[in-house]
Amino acid sequence: AVWLAGATGNPMLPFHIEASRALTARSWDETQVPAPFATIGVAIGAPITVDGIVPSTIDAQRAALERALAALERQARTLANRS
């Protein structure tokens, strides 16, 4: 995703969706389906632009994306678990 963003010039939009209760599939990606009446938390971050496909740029932006996704996961979990 980071390389593709650098190659096309399109920004990445990091986001995370979390459910207070969900059914998790036994698959490689552990797809989740929210349980009935679950609370859903959605956190959307700022767009991340990648200027080119130079390996050092890709590595730096990959690390930035990982940090953004981790923060958004925490935020979405907090939102989903509020009563």
Side-chain angles (χ1 to χ4, degrees), residues 1 4 13-16 19-20 22 24 31 34 40 44-45 58 78:
L4 190 57
L13 185 64
F15 67 92
H16 188 84
S20 60
T24 303
T31 299
I40 307 296
I44 302 172
I58 298 296
T78 299

Side-chain angles (χ1 to χ4, degrees), residues 9-83:
N10 292 315
M12 298 178 292
L13 185 64
F15 67 92
H16 188 84
I17 302 170
E18 193 71 38
S20 60
R21 294 184 338 261
L23 306 172
T24 303
R26 294 181 188 169
S27 62
W28 67 271
D29 63 352
E30 297 182 341
T31 299
Q32 292 186 334
V33 177
F37 307 106
T39 302
I40 307 296
V42 179
I44 302 172
I48 299 173
T49 57
V50 181
D51 298 324
I53 56 172
V54 176
S56 60
T57 300
I58 298 296
D59 287 341
Q61 294 303 81
R62 180 197 46 77
L65 178 60
E66 287 179 3
R67 286 190 303 273
L69 289 173
L72 292 169
E73 180 180 2
R74 287 189 300 272
Q75 185 180 359
R77 284 181 187 266
T78 299
L79 291 169
N81 291 318
R82 285 188 182 163
S83 299

